[in-house]
Amino acid sequence: AQSVTQLGSHVSVSEGALVLLRCNYSSSVPPYLFWYVQYPNQGLQLLLKYTTGATLVKGINGFEAEFKKSETSFHLTKPSAHMSDAAEYFCAVSAPQGGSEKLVFGKGTKLTVNP
Amino acid sequence: EAGVTQSPTHLIKTRGQQATLRCSPISGHTSVYWYQQALGLGLQFLLWYDEGEERNRGNFPPRFSGRQFPNYSSELNVNALELEDSALYLCASSPRAREAFFGQGTRLTVV
């Protein structure tokens, strides 16, 4: 079975600073990995995904994530935070080759951006 | 192209009543997922339907049930509502590419 751990339920950065949101996963088969963002009172929006191929994945709004198999990590980064990045971010994993297409989510990290 | 739509957006019920939440997936998507997002508990997987069948179920009591219709829309039913069922219920659809597209959610309040 897959699982996801997001380190830090709250992260606070200054505007213009680096954003780093951590995600570690567990999967017995090659995983598919996702980052979603949720703005207040809205549903989740896909930021980026890793399925196969290039391990550095670029997403919307300047975010990117790198799949590191040896570290079982898929951390989300953005070089320079913007006020509009304030939201909750969810990492998710699925394991289609294991026969389960169920998406398993981490508990989320709330990002605050200070002026 | 229309996204995932959920109805109603808000629902207020009293304890012991039943709630019915509806979800229309993106056209062409055969899989529908339901998640509960309660305050402080993150996203909890409820149910996964694909091609009209229940494929997987989260760790929720049997009073949480649902179904998927031939047009792939889905319904989530919660019987004998309890106060702790108050949450945002999110529906997502997938074209079996493992990437889920979410609706805006139904906010259920049990009083």
Side-chain angles (χ1 to χ4, degrees), chain A residues 32 34 36 38 41-46 49 51 88 90 94 96 99-107, chain B residues 31 33 35 37 41-45 48 56 88 90 94 96-105 107:
Chain A
Y32 284 15
F34 308 85
Y36 286 84
Q38 186 181 31
N41 299 312
Q42 294 189 25
L44 277 69
Q45 178 184 4
L46 182 70
K49 64 178 178 180
T51 54
E88 190 157 18
F90 293 89
S94 71
S100 169
E101 296 182 34
K102 183 180 73 175
L103 270 178
V104 175
F105 284 84
K107 293 193 177 299
Chain B
S31 278
Y33 300 84
Y35 291 86
Q37 189 176 29
L41 294 179
L43 274 171
Q44 304 292 320
F45 169 72
W48 168 32
N56 208 332
L88 180 68
L90 290 166
S94 169
R96 295 188 68 86
R98 295 87 187 181
E99 170 185 332
F101 296 82
F102 283 81
Q104 296 298 298
R107 174 74 62 185

Side-chain angles (χ1 to χ4, degrees), chain B residues 15-73:
Chain B
R15 196 167 45 181
Q17 284 189 314
Q18 179 196 35
T20 299
L21 288 63
R22 296 180 176 84
C23 173
S24 292
I26 292 171
S27 178
H29 289 191
T30 61
S31 278
V32 170
Y33 300 84
W34 287 96
Y35 291 86
Q36 182 195 65
Q37 189 176 29
L39 199 62
L41 294 179
L43 274 171
Q44 304 292 320
F45 169 72
L46 265 166
L47 290 159
W48 168 32
Y49 291 95
D50 183 61
E51 299 280 0
E53 301 285 331
E54 182 180 301
R55 301 295 185 183
N56 208 332
R57 181 182 180 84
N59 188 24
F60 280 83
R63 58 190 186 83
F64 286 83
S65 65
R67 53 181 171 166
Q68 187 177 35
F69 298 99
N71 66 355
Y72 304 119
S73 67

Side-chain angles (χ1 to χ4, degrees), chain A residues 65-84:
Chain A
E66 186 171 10
F67 170 59
K68 291 188 176 180
K69 184 179 178 181
S70 61
E71 299 177 10
T72 61
S73 69
F74 191 58
H75 302 330
L76 181 71
T77 61
K78 182 173 180 177
S80 176
H82 192 271
M83 297 295 289
S84 60

